């Protein structure tokens, strides 16, 4: 059984990393080589693009943080969970659900979906 | 934008096919070559194994049918939706959520998760 919670925590930590050094360190620790990311708004085909996406989200929402909104579960090389993005101590402004595919216990592919998007986003 | 509803309908129809000829016809029409399927209970690495899984579920639950329980959505080559399995005109006994990855508009990879499983299953 996959350690779904730990993997989801590592993933969320990557998105919450506020500087490039932290992002690169989290990528090196928890992600596979040549990771991919696809959600309705953004796509990354490798680590460099992924770090760029995280930086872009941090730049756009500097006071927001990602957090888990349910208990991650998984099987084999797959993990799923839901997340929210918003200010600390407030309801999330944006919510989504992601599925992670692992390679040798590292995050390899991510497919994300949006569950709630503000009308003014 | 992916035609998420049509793809989900084709997928559900495959699981509801009650004979081998129908299953093979649906595979030929809507699935890519060498499809894969992974959920917490079952895995298929190719079309033959997938047809076998559908047959096994049909044998075990001959009076149950799969149906969608939400509105499928998708982006690019990805579709997600939730489903229920149970008797017609009754609450589903088993519920889950699947993510489909397409290849040239055909169902290539499926990752499934269970949302409700009966204690006696």
């Amino acid at each position: 059984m996959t350690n779904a919670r730990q993997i989801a925590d590592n993933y969320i930590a990557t998105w919450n990393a506020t500087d490039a050094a932290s992002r690169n360190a989290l990528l090196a620790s928890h992600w596979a080589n040549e990771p991919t990311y696809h959600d309705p708004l953004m796509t990354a085909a490798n680590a460099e693009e992924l770090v760029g996406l995280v930086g872009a989200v941090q730049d756009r929402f500097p006071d927001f943080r990602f957090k888990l909104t349910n208990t991650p579960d998984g099987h084999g090389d797959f993990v799923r969970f839901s997340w929210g993005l918003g200010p600390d101590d407030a309801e999330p402004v944006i919510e989504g659900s992601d599925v992670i595919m692992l390679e040798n216990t590292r995050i390899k592919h991510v497919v994300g979906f949006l569950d709630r998007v503000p009308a003014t986003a």
Side-chain angles (χ1 to χ4, degrees), chain A:
Chain A
M1 175 65 182
T2 308
N3 186 346
R5 178 58 193 257
Q6 187 61 58
I7 290 159
D9 282 343
N10 295 339
Y11 174 78
I12 293 290
T14 305
W15 280 98
N16 281 333
T18 55
D19 63 276
S22 301
R23 287 167 209 147
N24 288 327
L26 287 159
L27 261 286
S29 295
H30 304 305
W31 293 67
N33 290 328
E34 297 298 318
T36 70
Y37 178 90
H38 292 88
D39 77 16
L41 304 175
M42 304 186 293
T43 294
N46 54 50
E48 185 179 357
E49 290 183 9
L50 182 67
V51 168
L53 292 187
V54 174
V57 170
Q58 290 285 339
D59 287 346
R60 180 166 179 194
F61 303 110
D63 298 325
F64 285 10
R65 287 180 65 78
F66 288 91
K67 59 185 174 185
L68 292 173
T69 58
N70 72 354
T71 301
D73 72 317
H75 57 89
D77 285 333
F78 306 98
V79 176
R80 71 165 174 178
F81 53 87
S82 294
W83 53 264
L85 174 64
D88 278 343
D89 305 319
E91 283 288 301
V93 176
I94 304 171
E95 293 180 294
S97 296
D98 290 1
V99 172
I100 288 174
M101 282 146 269
L102 301 170
E103 181 182 74
N104 298 326
T105 76
R106 288 167 169 266
I107 302 168
K108 179 69 173 180
H109 302 295
V110 180
V111 180
F113 297 90
L114 297 176
D115 299 322
R116 184 168 66 159
V117 181
T120 56

